[in-house]
Amino acid sequence: MTGPATDTEAAPQAPSLGRKVGSAAKWSLINTVVMRLGNFATGIVLARYFLGPEAWGVYGIAQTVLLVLLSANELGVSLAIVRWEGDPRRFAPTVLTLSAVSSCLLYAVLFASAPAVAGVLGSPEASGVLRVMCLCVVLDGLSQVPAGFLTREFAQGRRMAVDALNFVLSTAVTLLLAVEGWGAMSFAWGSVVGNVAALIGCCLAAPGTLRFGWDREQARALLRFGLPLAGASMLALGVVNVDTMVVGSTLDPLALGFYVLAFNISGWPVRIISEAARRVSFAGFSRLADSPGALAAGFGRAIGVVMAGTVPLCVLLAALAAPIVELVYGERWLPAAEALPWLMALGLVRIGCELAYDCLVAIGRRSSLIGVQALWLVLLVPALVLGARSDGIVGVAQGHVLVAVVVVVPVFLAALHRGGIRLGTVARACAWPLLGGAVMAGVVLVLESHLGDGVLALLATAAAGTLAYVLCVLPARTLLRGQAGRDA
């Protein structure tokens, strides 16, 4: 055992958890912003010049199926690399074996059933795209262990280098094939090439972690830990992607293409802010799980910062939906703007729910998560079907928001309360950003009606709205720096 003297000598050399999390969050945010801006620019080029709404709809179907498979491809066991105490190299080989085997089995099932799946989702031509794109399931399963080590060590600088390699190669292949007329298949091969690069990059960034092994006792413990998380994750992905399935099977391919574009736009703030936060939030919450007071304060600060950064983006995209879509993607994509304001409201709710999800996983409340996600999905499907039949893609977006706000948010708040995070902590963290968002929306709508929707007018409107938001949020600066937010 290490004696007190050694602890004292070693302590100054070891970076604090706060410093690790802060550095990782900085790199994660930079990484996410850079990658998402690159994806955003690529999407604009493809939508304006090479792919129409029908091809975008086929891609949306394939991407939906891929995301659902990715949610369960490693049975949830890879999170043990981040969460479990002790040396993860001791059980990592068993994790890798479980992940690889389950991923290969999932892909085999998908390959055999691709024509039937594509037909049920209203897009029979997506069958080939599905078979190619879902190769990423196997590649992702193999990369889970090295990527888990990077997350555990808060090594987001190395992760950024890996993601950059993935982005450059996948984008180059996608654009090259799109120019050659490959349509939605260009996305599929671009994704495969990018995931191969990511796997190689993760192995180089976390050397010695791609090693297979098997221990029966470890496997049993890992499955007991991971299967509930995989179930909850699959339900969560079902919640996010069931709308694409409903639109594909209920409406026509053109409507599906418009909806996929609108949903992708609504995901910009979620992916930029929430994805950056989630790369460090689970590891950070896990370290605080045994200290209820510190966990509550940490969650309050995290959701306050995330909301403060996301609200202005959501307000701008909702209030200026039509001019932004026309300016960025072209006039033929304007029908997508009709659903965008509702989807932006949904995006804001999703961000808070995803952070709550990570917190509940970290404190071991897996059964609560499964219950929440199952309830969400069960209520959502009929709401989306009714919405699609009554008002097309706008009705689908409205059904999403209705279920999320009326049912899901209160249930998540109750689950957090049982985990030791009081409603007052969440309310104080979100109050100023939401108030600022309401003021910002009013300013933007008034100015847009007077100044019009030219490029300069949009820039002036956005700048004035952002300034109004910043002035409203300034009183909460101490909370965002972590100096407040603790329960009395």
Side-chain angles (χ1 to χ4, degrees):
M1 293 182 63
T2 304
T6 306
D7 284 335
T8 304
E9 292 168 6
Q13 299 174 2
S16 69
L17 176 61
R19 242 187 345 247
K20 283 183 178 181
V21 173
S23 175
K26 177 188 70 176
W27 280 110
S28 182
L29 181 59
I30 294 172
N31 180 15
T32 305
V33 170
V34 171
M35 294 303 111
R36 293 309 171 190
L37 287 176
N39 285 324
F40 165 60
T42 303
I44 292 173
V45 173
L46 291 170
R48 287 190 74 98
Y49 303 111
F50 300 112
L51 301 178
E54 293 87 352
W56 212 266
V58 171
Y59 161 69
I61 288 293
Q63 181 73 1
T64 296
V65 174
L66 174 61
L67 289 174
V68 171
L69 294 181
L70 288 176
S71 68
N73 70 322
E74 38 71 61
L75 305 178
V77 297
S78 66
L79 284 176
I81 299 291
V82 180
R83 179 70 177 89
W84 279 14
E85 299 283 337
D87 182 7
R89 292 181 185 271
R90 182 173 50 83
F91 54 85
T94 304
V95 172
L96 182 61
T97 301
L98 284 168
S99 180
V101 170
S102 62
S103 298
C104 290
L105 288 175
L106 267 179
Y107 179 73
V109 172
L110 182 278
F111 188 91
S113 61
V117 171
V120 168
L121 296 179
S123 187
E125 63 273 26
S127 175
V129 178
L130 273 174
R131 284 174 165 168
V132 174
M133 184 175 281
C134 288
L135 283 168
C136 296
V137 171
V138 178
L139 297 168
D140 182 76
L142 293 173
S143 67
Q144 285 296 315
V145 168
F149 274 90
L150 295 179
T151 300
R152 182 185 180 98
E153 298 167 5
F154 298 99
Q156 292 301 321
R158 280 177 278 167
R159 182 63 184 266
M160 180 175 179
V162 172
D163 289 346
L165 179 65
N166 181 341
F167 169 75
V168 170
L169 292 179
S170 65
T171 301
V173 171
T174 300
L175 288 174
L176 178 63
L177 296 181
V179 170
E180 294 296 319
W182 285 52
M185 188 64 82
S186 59
F187 283 111
W189 282 113
S191 297
V192 171
V193 171
N195 273 267
V196 170
L199 173 59
I200 295 171
C202 283
C203 292
L204 294 175
T209 57
L210 197 68
R211 185 166 58 88
F212 291 92
W214 185 255
D215 182 296
R216 183 179 298 178
E217 292 303 316
Q218 287 178 356
R220 287 175 179 169
L222 286 165
L223 290 172
R224 283 197 301 270
F225 170 83
L227 285 176
L229 296 180
S233 181
M234 199 164 185
L235 287 170
L237 263 295
V239 165
V240 174
N241 293 286
V242 71
D243 52 355
T244 302
M245 299 178 185
V246 168
V247 173
S249 59
T250 306
L251 304 177
D252 56 71
L254 200 63
L256 176 61
F258 291 134
Y259 185 83
V260 170
L261 184 80
F263 194 86
N264 285 346
I265 295 173
S266 74
W268 292 348
V270 178
R271 289 191 291 264
I272 290 175
I273 305 297
S274 181
E275 186 175 311
R278 295 190 78 188
R279 286 188 174 180
V280 297
S281 64
F282 177 67
F285 292 150
S286 296
R287 304 291 175 88
L288 300 173
D290 295 328
S291 177
L295 178 68
F299 180 82
R301 183 189 178 193
I303 196 169
V305 171
V306 167
M307 294 295 286
T310 308
V311 165
L313 296 175
C314 290
V315 169
L316 283 177
L317 289 170
L320 302 175
I324 288 177
V325 169
E326 184 176 10
L327 176 66
V328 175
Y329 292 99
E331 187 177 355
R332 67 172 173 168
W333 290 98
L334 267 176
E338 297 175 9
L340 189 54
W342 295 98
L343 290 175
M344 294 316 308
L346 174 66
L348 197 60
V349 173
R350 280 176 54 201
I351 288 172
C353 290
E354 287 175 357
L355 204 62
Y357 179 99
D358 287 344
C359 184
L360 292 171
V361 171
I363 60 178
R365 293 189 170 268
R366 295 187 287 276
S367 58
S368 296
L369 282 175
I370 293 176
V372 172
Q373 300 294 351
L375 176 65
W376 195 346
L377 188 58
V378 166
L379 295 176
L380 187 59
V381 172
L384 296 182
V385 171
L386 289 173
R389 290 175 177 171
S390 65
D391 200 12
I393 63 173
V394 176
V396 171
Q398 291 171 338
H400 243 314
V401 174
L402 178 67
V403 173
V405 172
V406 174
V407 178
V408 178
V409 170
V411 173
F412 258 118
L413 289 173
L416 287 172
H417 182 77
R418 288 194 298 271
I421 300 170
R422 298 179 184 175
L423 177 60
T425 299
V426 180
R428 283 195 296 274
C430 298
W432 288 107
L434 293 178
L435 173 63
V439 173
M440 181 182 184
V443 170
V444 168
L445 290 173
V446 169
L447 289 180
E448 198 260 341
S449 65
H450 285 84
L451 299 180
D453 55 7
V455 175
L456 291 179
L458 285 177
L459 290 174
T461 300
T466 303
L467 177 60
Y469 176 79
V470 170
L471 293 175
C472 288
V473 174
L474 275 178
R477 60 188 182 278
T478 54
L479 173 63
L480 300 183
R481 287 200 299 263
Q483 296 172 358
R486 293 178 175 81
D487 285 318

